[in-house]
Amino acid sequence: SVRIPVAWSEYADGGNTIDPAWMARVTEVVTYARNAGLYVVINVHWDGGWMQPTYADQTAVNVKLTTFWTQIANNFKGFDDHLLFAGTNEVMVTNVYSAPTRENCAVQNSFNQTFVNAVRTTGGNNAGRFLVVQGYNTNIDYTVACNATLPADSAAGKLMMEVHYYDPYNFTLNANSGIWQWGSIATKASAAETWANEAYTDGQFQKMKASFIDKGVPVILGEYSAMRRTEYDATGKYRNHWDEYITRSAHKHGIVPMYWDNGPTSNHSSGLFDRAAAKQAFPDTITAIVDAGS
């Protein structure tokens, strides 16, 4: 499977009409993936952070979401269930990482409902296509608290929930951190954070299993990765251990993991493939991930 994050706002006019050339390019890339035999997920990605979950922005955002998803869904209505739509990406109030308020939850849930309504209204294969809705900021704890009630849907059993996983942040994403070891193989206390170890990972994924999977709602781990830290870990030992364990635990709990390859393969990046050469940049990491999912 491949998740293709897509910016649309940048390629739309003042009335939110998407540039036909951009729509054609996205369709071309989706077709490449389908011809390769992959399941494909496309979304409305961050794209400048215009989806603010506040009452002040709610109406305008829902109008824009409806306009975008009506166009996207109509364009792809002839594709079968190997193509999935995901409505949003990491919806949150910009730079506010604390727990969502009741207002935040209500508005973000309205975005999910707007997405479902817009797609279903277009008919064709979209009447029963699998749709992916997101938890608040794709945070597991916030999702369980904020999004336990899924959007109403005219198609039964066709909604999936998406969360992301980057714990602990100082290890996975913070290039300025001195935290570069992780988990049970860590040997230096000052270089590791023990709060988000293997047991914590299992506990977080168990929450998603109990709250959604056990109730018949599939869960996608739409992003997870640990960046390279060659200044500390030249061989990638700890990065590989984290990537492998997160993948294995996700599978164990019935969650579909989709690694976040952000493109670059340089230090402090999470890319796995050399796109220019069309080859694996880090075979050991890729093997660890694939073996963990087998």
Side-chain angles (χ1 to χ4, degrees):
S1 61
V2 61
R3 176 176 178 260
I4 304 172
V6 186
W8 301 97
S9 192
E10 182 178 350
Y11 300 96
D13 63 19
N16 297 319
T17 298
I18 298 166
D19 183 346
W22 182 242
M23 185 71 82
R25 173 57 178 160
V26 175
T27 305
E28 182 179 36
V29 173
V30 170
T31 302
Y32 290 159
R34 284 298 305 119
N35 288 343
L38 299 174
Y39 279 86
V40 183
V41 179
I42 59 172
N43 70 356
V44 170
H45 210 65
W46 182 77
D47 202 11
W50 55 270
M51 276 184 264
Q52 294 294 298
T54 63
Y55 290 140
D57 293 292
Q58 183 175 13
T59 298
V61 171
N62 278 323
V63 168
K64 187 171 181 176
L65 266 179
T66 298
T67 304
F68 276 175
W69 274 112
T70 299
Q71 295 171 82
I72 299 164
N74 275 321
N75 181 77
F76 288 102
K77 70 165 52 177
F79 284 70
D80 66 16
D81 271 347
H82 287 85
L83 174 63
L84 293 78
F85 297 156
T88 62
N89 184 71
E90 296 186 354
V91 171
M92 58 179 287
V93 177
T94 300
N95 295 326
V96 178
Y97 292 92
S98 54
T101 65
R102 183 175 297 181
E103 173 184 347
N104 300 150
C105 290
V107 176
Q108 192 252 350
N109 279 320
S110 82
F111 297 165
N112 283 339
Q113 185 67 66
T114 293
F115 157 62
V116 172
N117 292 348
V119 172
R120 295 296 185 228
T121 298
T122 61
N125 289 342
N126 295 328
R129 186 179 308 283
F130 282 96
L131 303 180
V132 183
V133 296
Q134 284 199 333
Y136 189 86
N137 198 21
T138 60
N139 175 286
I140 289 175
D141 289 326
Y142 299 165
T143 297
V144 171
C146 200
N147 308 104
T149 301
L150 295 177
D153 188 13
S154 56
K158 290 298 184 78
L159 297 183
M160 299 181 178
M161 179 58 72
E162 179 184 348
V163 291
H164 298 168
Y165 193 81
Y166 291 105
D167 289 332
Y169 164 78
N170 284 329
F171 174 78
T172 60
L173 293 176
N174 187 0
N176 297 317
S177 167
I179 301 300
W180 58 276
Q181 295 187 5
W182 183 80
S184 60
I185 65 172
T187 59
K188 186 177 181 180
S190 63
E193 290 183 348
T194 59
W195 69 271
N197 56 17
E198 292 95 340
Y200 174 84
T201 300
D202 291 341
Q204 290 297 94
F205 291 166
Q206 178 59 34
K207 291 177 185 178
M208 293 304 297
K209 182 177 184 298
S211 298
F212 296 98
I213 294 171
D214 288 350
K215 298 177 181 178
V217 180
V219 174
I220 289 177
L221 186 62
E223 294 181 21
Y224 72 107
S225 68
M227 66 181 175
R228 297 184 69 198
R229 301 291 294 275
T230 58
E231 66 271 39
Y232 297 114
D233 183 17
T235 66
K237 172 182 177 180
Y238 294 98
R239 176 198 190 197
N240 290 350
H241 177 56
W242 189 92
D243 284 337
E244 179 181 19
Y245 196 89
I246 299 327
T247 307
R248 191 177 305 280
S249 183
H251 272 281
K252 176 183 175 182
H253 292 89
I255 299 170
V256 177
M258 306 186 79
Y259 182 88
W260 179 251
D261 181 325
N262 70 339
T265 57
S266 55
N267 198 31
H268 299 160
S269 297
S270 63
L272 296 180
F273 297 92
D274 181 337
R275 285 160 165 71
K279 67 179 183 180
Q280 297 182 8
F282 301 102
D284 290 348
T285 307
I286 293 170
T287 297
I289 292 171
V290 172
D291 287 350
S294 62

